[in-house]
Amino acid sequence: MTGPRGVRRRGSRSPRWSARALPAAAILLLLGGGCGPAGPKVVPISGTATRGGQPVAGIELTFHPETGRPSWANTDGEGRFTLSYSRDRNGAVLGRHRVTVRGQQPSSPEEELAGKIKHPPEVRAIVGRYGDVKETPLVIEITRGRSDLVVPLD
């Protein structure tokens, strides 16, 4: 858009520039714009949380990588778990992870209000030692996918 005496107004765009930019933008979108479709390398991880060689049920494990998004899992009645990286993707990124633990959280507001989740003293002791990402002594290196990972909470 031009003003008096043919001076171009600040912020206006040339129709020729827009006509060239649109096809270029469409090509970048089709090619993915340089972003990898798979994201970070995530491998499947499952195993058992133990204390004194015995399975630990009713805890939530979180694997915090040095960079990137953490993975998490709840242990079942036999201490088994499968890590989740996102809602639709299981596993954890490769590398070193600081592992934290907390008592399993209620799955619904009704469960929370009913007080259905009670943590035994053993779980409270585990959370006391492994509950803070900056203080946890537990570091696990993920180098490949595993279905037999033991998380020792001694």
Side-chain angles (χ1 to χ4, degrees):
M1 191 173 223
T2 58
R5 296 188 214 148
V7 175
R8 170 167 254 168
R9 288 188 186 165
R10 182 173 256 172
S12 65
R13 294 196 176 145
S14 165
R16 270 188 284 151
W17 182 88
S18 297
R20 287 188 304 242
L22 187 58
I27 290 170
L28 283 174
L29 284 173
L30 288 173
L31 294 176
C35 298
K41 175 74 171 166
V42 175
V43 295
I45 300 292
S46 60
T48 307
T50 64
R51 183 174 176 91
Q54 299 301 310
V56 180
I59 59 171
E60 181 180 298
L61 300 168
T62 304
F63 281 56
H64 304 268
E66 291 175 338
T67 60
R69 175 191 312 187
S71 296
W72 69 94
N74 289 319
T75 60
D76 66 13
E78 296 174 2
R80 293 180 305 216
F81 66 89
T82 298
L83 287 177
S84 295
Y85 178 73
S86 65
R87 286 185 193 163
D88 58 349
R89 195 171 180 192
N90 286 339
V93 296
L94 296 174
R96 290 173 45 93
H97 295 255
R98 297 184 72 79
V99 180
T100 58
V101 179
R102 69 181 189 161
Q104 207 164 25
Q105 303 301 298
S107 60
S108 69
E110 294 79 22
E111 193 174 80
E112 184 174 10
L113 288 174
K116 288 189 176 184
I117 302 285
K118 300 277 189 218
H119 300 115
E122 178 180 284
V123 169
R124 289 195 301 269
I126 292 169
V127 171
R129 181 160 187 206
Y130 302 100
D132 184 330
V133 70
K134 292 179 182 174
E135 302 293 326
T136 182
L138 185 55
V139 176
I140 294 180
E141 179 88 21
I142 303 293
T143 58
R144 61 182 171 81
R146 298 188 58 174
S147 61
D148 61 350
L149 181 66
V150 174
V151 178
L153 301 170
D154 297 316

